[in-house]
Amino acid sequence: MYIKNIVLLLFILFTLPNVSMCQVKSTSSGDVTFCGKPGESGPTGGNYTIQELTDCDFTITPLDTNFKIAEFQLSIYGKDALFVPIEIKIKGNKIPDEYRAKILKEAKNVFLEYIKATASDGTIRLMKPVGVRIQ
């Protein structure tokens, strides 16, 4: 009985990742633009000025034109410790105006993560995250 459970567990562990990878692709072509700039993340990328953000339409656009952004997670962190961080799932490819105002007035860092894009054939791709560090 014990050996059957181990074999079953190993089977599940080795086949489950393969099944999920068939449904969602995450590739190097998962780049997006935000505010007309290539989306970047990490400690050296993603610097934006208030002027750049003021002139921005707050839309995420995939570089691969076969895909359309379906949803993403928006995380906003404030300039001071009193700001309560915001994390919300957004449907579509645009940050709503209510969050745009918070970003322009109160935010220090904004992260666009778990960006899900779909193609007309039903293919789903997870795009690279975007960090927005406001200077």
Side-chain angles (χ1 to χ4, degrees):
M1 182 72 170
Y2 179 71
I3 293 175
K4 287 182 182 179
N5 289 340
I6 290 175
V7 171
L8 179 61
L9 179 63
L10 290 173
F11 177 76
I12 291 171
L13 288 174
F14 287 113
T15 58
L16 188 58
N18 293 333
V19 170
S20 65
M21 289 304 290
C22 293
Q23 297 170 356
V24 177
K25 294 182 181 180
S26 181
T27 65
S28 61
S29 63
D31 291 320
V32 298
T33 62
F34 180 72
C35 291
K37 294 169 59 172
E40 296 183 39
S41 191
T44 60
N47 294 318
Y48 292 79
T49 65
I50 291 292
Q51 187 60 49
E52 285 176 308
L53 293 174
T54 301
D55 296 339
C56 175
D57 63 359
F58 278 63
T59 300
I60 304 169
T61 306
L63 290 181
D64 186 339
T65 57
N66 295 318
F67 285 86
K68 180 179 175 183
I69 303 299
E71 66 182 33
F72 62 96
Q73 178 175 308
L74 171 67
S75 302
I76 304 172
Y77 298 92
K79 295 176 185 175
D80 60 48
L82 298 176
F83 184 88
V84 177
I86 297 169
E87 290 188 359
I88 186 166
K89 184 183 277 190
I90 305 289
K91 297 286 184 186
N93 68 337
K94 186 172 183 175
I95 297 173
D97 289 340
E98 64 185 280
Y99 298 109
R100 178 186 172 134
K102 286 191 177 293
I103 291 169
L104 291 173
K105 293 178 184 174
E106 304 175 54
K108 176 70 176 164
N109 293 304
V110 177
F111 299 99
L112 311 172
E113 303 170 297
Y114 308 106
I115 304 169
K116 185 166 81 171
T118 58
S120 59
D121 67 359
T123 303
I124 298 170
R125 179 179 288 165
L126 294 177
M127 309 306 266
K128 293 180 182 178
V130 177
V132 177
R133 289 165 185 78
I134 302 169
Q135 301 178 340

